[in-house]
Amino acid sequence: MYQNYSTDACTRILFVADPQLLGENKESRWLARYDNDKHISRNYQQALSHVRPQIVIYLGDLIDEGSFADDFLYEKYFQRFSDIFVQPDSVKAIYIPGDNDIGGEAQEMVKPSKVKRFNSYFEDNHQWKFDHKLNIYHINRITHELPLLKEEEASQVEENSGYIRILISHFSVILIPGAYSYKAIERFRPHAIFSGHYHRSSQITTELKKLRY
């Protein structure tokens, strides 16, 4: 979301999808990990400078080996992540997990301990409220959890009261149809949905009433 930088009439958001910092098991060469980290850091700083966001949203798969790393390596990976993605004090960072972070794809099982560890480092709060009537909700297709709506928020949805509702997910809510996706869309009636995972850029535009599964 962009604006004239001379005004605060809207909120600028930068999305970061699937950085997947290289791990020490799959990539044993320290120089390759170092080079990859420097490349990601340089591009991230350029994006920050260009967008000048108030919010940065990370759409999962933050660490390539986060799902199966032991606690010692996980701590090292987190420190590398923090050194690469340095957040200005004025920026709110939102982190959600991907399958590389907590499992959920192929043979990597999701376990409560993995989810708890991710939350202890990255603080996935599931929903966030901002100025200019902007609400952001994490739709977790990996664990099939949905944020709860308070009575006031449910009324805002029903009355279409001018609040902007954005859903964020790692796995796509639209491209992976099913009962969970339908429930999420019906509950939140979002204006936009942003997802990661597929490592490509694409945009789908449709009417809300046409999203039926």
Side-chain angles (χ1 to χ4, degrees):
M1 294 184 177
Y2 300 91
Q3 70 171 62
N4 182 330
Y5 292 147
S6 64
T7 178
D8 290 324
C10 68
T11 302
R12 297 186 299 276
I13 303 176
L14 174 64
F15 291 91
V16 179
D18 300 66
Q20 293 186 209
L21 299 192
L22 294 177
E24 296 184 16
N25 289 305
K26 293 181 181 179
E27 180 51 79
S28 58
R29 297 171 299 172
W30 72 268
L31 185 57
R33 298 194 302 271
Y34 174 82
D35 184 62
N36 186 73
D37 288 1
K38 295 296 288 185
H39 174 74
I40 295 175
S41 177
R42 181 171 58 252
N43 282 276
Y44 176 66
Q45 291 302 319
Q46 289 176 347
L48 276 182
S49 178
H50 175 69
V51 180
R52 295 172 58 187
Q54 286 104 339
I55 306 169
V56 178
I57 299 178
Y58 295 84
L59 293 172
D61 280 1
L62 311 184
I63 299 170
D64 190 48
E65 299 177 6
S67 175
F68 58 83
D70 60 30
D71 289 343
F72 174 76
L73 279 178
Y74 197 95
E75 175 68 26
K76 290 180 67 176
Y77 296 158
F78 174 75
Q79 291 302 323
R80 281 173 53 199
F81 184 95
S82 300
D83 290 340
I84 293 169
F85 295 102
V86 179
Q87 306 298 336
D89 292 338
S90 59
V91 172
K92 169 62 179 176
I94 294 175
Y95 308 92
I96 65 174
D99 51 287
N100 284 28
D101 302 305
I102 62 172
E105 187 176 55
Q107 303 302 314
E108 291 185 42
M109 299 295 294
V110 180
K111 297 180 180 179
S113 59
K114 296 180 181 181
V115 177
K116 182 178 180 180
R117 182 169 68 176
F118 180 90
N119 290 339
S120 70
Y121 279 93
F122 293 103
E123 299 182 7
D124 176 16
N125 293 325
H126 306 297
Q127 53 183 300
W128 302 264
K129 299 179 181 180
F130 297 95
D131 294 336
H132 309 128
K133 294 186 175 181
L134 171 62
N135 292 343
I136 299 175
Y137 302 95
H138 175 203
I139 307 303
N140 194 335
R141 276 208 63 101
I142 300 175
T143 61
H144 280 204
E145 294 176 284
L146 286 176
L148 297 176
L149 284 178
K150 296 180 180 179
E151 184 175 347
E152 176 186 357
E153 293 174 292
S155 297
Q156 293 168 2
V157 173
E158 289 295 331
E159 298 169 5
N160 195 21
S161 56
Y163 279 77
I164 300 298
R165 295 177 297 279
I166 293 178
L167 303 188
I168 56 176
S169 65
H170 180 65
F171 292 149
S172 174
V173 177
I174 300 298
L175 298 179
I176 308 177
Y180 175 85
S181 295
Y182 176 72
K183 184 177 181 180
I185 291 168
E186 281 294 295
R187 175 178 294 185
F188 296 99
R189 299 183 188 176
H191 298 90
I193 305 173
F194 295 91
S195 304
H197 185 63
Y198 290 105
H199 297 196
R200 66 175 185 264
S201 176
S202 60
Q203 178 176 322
I204 300 172
T205 303
T206 186
E207 295 180 27
L208 190 62
K209 64 183 179 182
K210 293 182 179 179
L211 293 176
R212 296 291 184 268
Y213 302 112

